Amino acid sequence: ISLHNLGKEASENARKSLEVQFGLIKAGEKKKRLEQATEQPFPTQKVVYGKLPTKRAITNVLDAVLPHYRYASLPELNAILRRYNVMADRGAENSVIYRTHGLVYRVLDEGGNKVGVPVKASAIYTKPTLSFLEQRFKENAPKKEAYKKQLQSAIDWGLTKPVRSLAVFEKELQKEAISLVIRQNEEGFVYGLTYIDHRSKCVFNGSDLGKAYSAKGVLGRCGILQTPAPKKSKETKQVQTQTKGRSAKTETAWNKEAALQILDRLLKPDQHDTGIPYELR
């Protein structure tokens, strides 16, 4: 083949075909798409309890999220809503609301704790009930597949640089308009990652993208070693359960009795006859 002006004449066609094949952002469009990702319809501020009426504040967030983002499960939806201090709550499995297929929306504080009075989904004018959301889950699931490769490529790109913590990884993803939601237990053990791609408006659980994008896979690629907390024995759990079940008065009395027993043993004089005067013993 002719090598004359090969770089100028052939490289652009090759680049365009690669962008299509691997679902990459097309050259020249990145800045525009990043700007679009940070624009409305998203709310500019998180919900602050008491600043607006609870129902109105929740409705504002739902109007911005539900029609525009692609989510295929309640946890994926909550990954977006929690960024704005809102969550969709089905309640505990043994609760009435769960058994009756109900749903409420709640405001969260900055620590992720529920505050204020819950608002029934049926009380909101758009009726974002559980049945409505389940229909959206079915519609969104196949639509997300077209954007999976694009997100995988962005994550791989973020991991090409030396990344030694999830905080650094999160900042790298933010440059690509991707939010990282880290799920961890009370001991700080990371057990899951969720990615929110604000360009494609898609939400993916890490394991759904593949093992390399799950919490274990990403931590391994970052060189971060996690040691799970030791499992508590059955006896330890029973003791903890019993302790939690005590009233404050009973627990205080128990602690006092234990302390007195320890003091009695410590202050008990030596019984051996060593020839030392009693006063010194």
Side-chain angles (χ1 to χ4, degrees):
I1 62 174
S2 173
L3 301 181
H4 182 65
N5 284 332
L6 177 66
K8 185 170 70 173
E9 295 177 357
S11 64
E12 185 173 358
N13 293 332
R15 183 257 302 164
K16 287 180 178 179
S17 64
L18 289 171
E19 288 172 344
V20 174
Q21 181 180 352
F22 293 99
L24 304 176
I25 301 172
K26 294 180 180 179
E29 293 185 5
K30 181 175 181 179
K31 184 178 180 181
K32 180 180 178 181
R33 294 180 70 175
L34 286 174
E35 289 173 352
Q36 290 175 345
T38 56
E39 290 175 355
Q40 293 295 332
F42 248 79
T44 55
Q45 293 182 342
K46 295 181 178 181
V47 173
V48 178
Y49 179 68
K51 192 172 183 180
L52 283 176
T54 299
K55 185 177 177 180
R56 187 198 303 176
I58 291 174
T59 301
N60 290 342
V61 174
L62 294 179
D63 287 347
V65 172
L66 297 185
H68 302 284
Y69 275 74
R70 301 179 180 95
Y71 41 87
S73 67
L74 199 61
E76 288 183 359
L77 172 60
N78 275 328
I80 313 172
L81 295 180
R82 283 178 180 273
R83 292 176 54 79
Y84 295 91
N85 293 342
V86 175
M87 74 168 291
D89 188 11
R90 289 199 62 190
E93 292 187 7
N94 58 350
S95 64
V96 175
I97 187 172
Y98 188 93
R99 294 197 303 268
T100 56
H101 209 63
L103 185 72
V104 296
Y105 291 92
R106 309 199 63 140
V107 173
L108 307 175
D109 61 17
E110 288 299 326
N113 303 306
K114 301 172 185 176
V115 293
V117 179
V119 177
K120 289 184 179 180
S122 57
I124 299 173
Y125 77 96
T126 53
K127 306 295 181 186
T129 61
L130 186 58
S131 299
F132 169 83
L133 292 179
E134 287 175 341
Q135 183 61 35
R136 294 282 296 178
F137 298 158
K138 292 179 182 179
E139 295 172 358
N140 289 336
K143 292 179 181 178
K144 294 197 311 174
E145 292 300 312
Y147 302 94
K148 184 179 285 188
K149 275 190 176 181
Q150 177 179 303
L151 180 56
Q152 289 170 333
S153 298
I155 296 171
D156 291 336
W157 176 254
L159 289 169
T160 55
K161 302 175 184 179
V163 176
R164 294 302 177 188
S165 70
L166 286 179
V168 175
F169 179 51
E170 186 176 8
K171 288 182 180 179
E172 289 297 323
L173 291 181
Q174 286 174 355
K175 297 176 183 177
E176 301 294 325
I178 299 170
S179 297
L180 178 67
V181 180
I182 303 171
R183 302 193 302 278
Q184 54 188 5
N185 59 20
E186 294 178 356
E187 288 76 27
F189 185 84
V190 178
Y191 62 85
L193 298 176
T194 300
Y195 304 90
I196 305 173
D197 189 346
H198 298 290
R199 300 169 304 180
S200 63
K201 300 291 190 290
C202 290
V203 188
F204 285 95
N205 188 30
S207 57
D208 293 337
L209 292 173
K211 291 183 179 179
Y213 308 94
S214 64
K216 184 177 180 181
V218 170
L219 289 171
R221 294 165 75 179
C222 294
I224 303 172
L225 180 63
Q226 280 197 127
T227 305
K231 293 184 178 180
K232 297 175 182 177
S233 64
K234 187 176 180 180
E235 291 77 10
T236 304
K237 289 181 180 179
Q238 288 177 346
V239 170
Q240 289 180 339
T241 302
Q242 292 171 359
T243 304
K244 288 180 180 179
R246 293 192 191 100
S247 65
K249 184 177 180 180
T250 305
E251 189 168 352
T252 301
W254 184 86
N255 288 336
K256 184 178 179 181
E257 182 181 353
L260 289 174
Q261 290 177 357
I262 293 171
L263 283 172
D264 184 58
R265 290 172 61 186
L266 288 174
L267 298 177
K268 190 174 182 180
D270 190 354
Q271 298 298 322
H272 297 289
D273 186 8
T274 59
I276 299 174
Y278 174 79
E279 291 78 8
L280 295 180
R281 294 203 303 272

